[in-house]
Amino acid sequence: AFGGEYHWTADLTTPQRFRLQIAEADSVEIERLFQPTIAREGGLLARTLRLGTAGAPPEWLSGRNAEGAVSIQDLTVADTHLRVNSARVVWDGPDVTVWGIQGKLADAALGGELRVDLSGRAPSYRFEGKLEDVAYKGGKVDFSGKVTAAGTGRALLASTQAEGTLRGRAIAFSPDADFRRVSGRFQVSMAAAGPRWKLSALEVTQGTDNLSGAGATQADGRLVLDLTGGGRQVRYP
């Protein structure tokens, strides 16, 4: 269910205008609705022989020209629930830009811009923005960076990668590791067991000590930090 407005004009040089207000949506259902647009694989022979040029979108897609606003109160992506308070959409042929995104992931503030490239056989996505006040081990962490992905369905999730910078405060990482402040860089990739984190250029304030180092997700899924400072070297699981 959704509500909104749509304004059409016969002048092809003028964007179609729309406004959509959606109470609930699921990313799987959104992908299904847009399947003819985002995955143009053709027939069995074309897919098998890789016929056709990925850089030549069909005429009906090349001529698409629309602008509008979207809000989604509850958007489900895998097992995660997001709220998109507001976002502007510009759809120009195979290029879609969703900018001015303002929303929430749990209690964390989400903002940024999403670009979708529909010129190939499968879509590619690039998000750049911030996620602030993420609850983690009794404290808060801010993330700033980019997320990229390509494909559809499970292939889309498996291809997801992220990188950027982080800043945290009041993190009770382990019983003997309370961090007043944390900063560094992060990389995330997806695996069958879940996301795999790699942290670098870490700067940690623990009490009166300043530590530096790196961290990574282990085979058992735990995030382990290796830090040095003040004449000592420590490992925090």
Side-chain angles (χ1 to χ4, degrees):
F2 65 91
E5 301 173 353
Y6 176 69
H7 299 270
W8 179 86
T9 175
D11 182 2
L12 298 181
T13 63
T14 302
Q16 313 304 309
R17 306 284 182 179
F18 64 89
R19 178 174 57 85
L20 292 177
Q21 298 168 323
I22 304 169
E24 295 181 45
D26 188 288
S27 62
V28 174
E29 179 66 4
I30 293 175
E31 185 178 89
R32 185 189 70 80
L33 289 171
F34 282 95
Q35 193 67 17
T37 300
I38 65 177
R40 304 179 308 281
E41 293 286 354
L44 176 62
L45 183 61
R47 293 196 303 270
T48 303
L49 300 180
R50 307 299 289 174
L51 299 177
T53 58
E59 183 177 351
W60 57 263
L61 178 57
S62 298
R64 189 161 293 178
N65 185 14
E67 295 183 6
V70 175
S71 64
I72 306 175
Q73 291 303 305
D74 185 6
L75 172 60
T76 303
V77 181
D79 296 326
T80 302
H81 290 266
L82 306 169
R83 184 169 79 245
V84 181
N85 295 325
S86 62
R88 302 291 301 181
V89 180
V90 176
W91 194 329
D92 183 11
D95 299 317
V96 183
T97 302
V98 185
W99 58 276
I101 298 172
Q102 297 292 333
K104 286 279 190 178
L105 172 59
D107 292 328
L110 174 68
E113 178 178 291
L114 172 66
R115 291 184 176 270
V116 186
D117 182 358
L118 301 174
S119 62
R121 291 186 175 91
S124 63
Y125 303 85
R126 180 187 177 97
F127 173 83
E128 294 192 36
K130 296 181 179 181
L131 187 62
E132 299 178 325
D133 291 331
V134 178
Y136 180 69
K137 293 185 179 293
K140 301 287 186 179
V141 183
D142 302 332
F143 297 93
S144 178
K146 65 179 181 179
V147 182
T148 59
T152 60
R154 293 184 177 180
L156 176 64
L157 181 62
S159 72
T160 301
Q161 296 185 339
E163 64 177 51
T165 61
L166 62 86
R167 289 186 177 276
R169 50 210 172 272
I171 305 297
F173 189 79
S174 66
D176 57 346
D178 285 315
F179 302 148
R180 289 196 292 119
R181 289 188 299 272
V182 180
S183 64
R185 299 196 60 82
F186 70 89
Q187 293 179 314
V188 185
S189 60
M190 298 303 297
R196 311 289 294 182
W197 289 78
K198 182 178 181 181
L199 307 179
S200 60
L202 283 177
E203 297 292 337
V204 175
T205 301
Q206 183 181 16
T208 59
D209 294 335
N210 294 317
L211 308 174
S212 61
T217 302
Q218 305 300 296
D220 60 3
R222 294 179 305 151
L223 178 62
V224 173
L225 306 183
D226 290 298
L227 304 174
T228 59
R232 61 192 180 105
Q233 182 172 351
V234 293
R235 165 169 277 212
Y236 292 124

